[in-house]
Amino acid sequence: MKNMTKIIMASTLAISALAAGCQTTPGSTTPSTQPITSDILQAHNWQLVDAKRSNGEKVSQLFYDPAKPLTLNFMEVDGNNLVSFMNTCNNIAASYEVVNGDVQLGHGRSTMMACPEPQASFDTATLATVDGKYSLGKNANNVPVLTITNANQVVQFKAVAKTQ
């Protein structure tokens, strides 16, 4: 009986060790290896790849047109940091600062076009999505991934080349 107990315990430990080593999924991100700076944010555009509510449900309003994903464009304009939200119905932008590695957005500015559904919901979801704690990691393909977490959702953007 003692030998059986030892075998079961050894098997349990071996399986636990294997499981701990295999917890990375292909789309997962690794912990941040560098602090977030304006230079890092401005080096790429950031294209939405995933958005889930706290209950795990997909934020469907952000995915109504897969050909035109929400994309963040961080830039400097006349010495001021600005982020514009690409592929929205209205032109939406906000000032931002990076303070001690935390991204702080100013008030969002938007044109006031009467957008039809589902574009109107996309615009509303966009502003709710970018408010939160920003962190930087990399996916399984070593592509930078910007994650924004707030009380309601977790959203991930992959780095893509800047467009002109």
Side-chain angles (χ1 to χ4, degrees), residues 24-160:
T24 302
T25 58
S28 68
T29 59
T30 56
S32 177
T33 57
Q34 58 188 358
I36 293 180
T37 65
S38 289
D39 289 341
I40 291 169
L41 293 174
Q42 293 175 17
H44 312 279
N45 280 342
W46 299 92
Q47 187 178 81
L48 181 69
V49 292
D50 193 27
K52 290 197 171 61
R53 291 190 170 80
S54 357
N55 64 3
E57 179 183 308
K58 188 174 188 174
V59 182
S60 59
Q61 295 88 342
L62 293 171
F63 297 96
Y64 85 93
D65 186 354
K68 295 182 179 181
L70 174 61
T71 302
L72 310 180
N73 181 12
F74 291 88
M75 65 190 102
E76 185 178 321
V77 178
D78 298 327
N80 298 306
N81 288 330
L82 183 71
V83 58
S84 67
F85 309 110
M86 300 165 66
N87 296 325
T88 54
C89 177
N90 282 287
N91 293 321
I92 306 173
S95 61
Y96 80 93
E97 290 183 89
V98 178
V99 179
N100 298 323
D102 288 328
V103 177
Q104 299 174 352
L105 295 180
H107 292 288
R109 297 181 290 276
S110 173
T111 57
M112 300 298 288
M113 295 189 303
C115 301
E117 287 298 334
Q119 292 93 333
S121 293
F122 180 80
D123 283 10
T124 301
T126 293
L127 290 173
T129 295
V130 296
D131 185 29
K133 174 74 175 154
Y134 286 57
S135 60
L136 188 64
K138 293 194 176 186
N139 67 16
N141 296 322
N142 210 29
V143 173
V145 174
L146 182 65
T147 301
I148 305 172
T149 306
N150 62 41
N152 301 315
Q153 61 192 16
V154 176
V155 186
Q156 293 185 326
F157 296 84
K158 71 177 179 178
V160 295

Side-chain angles (χ1 to χ4, degrees), residues 12-26 28 30:
T12 302
L13 287 173
I15 291 169
S16 297
L18 284 172
C22 296
Q23 290 181 355
T24 302
T25 58
S28 68
T30 56

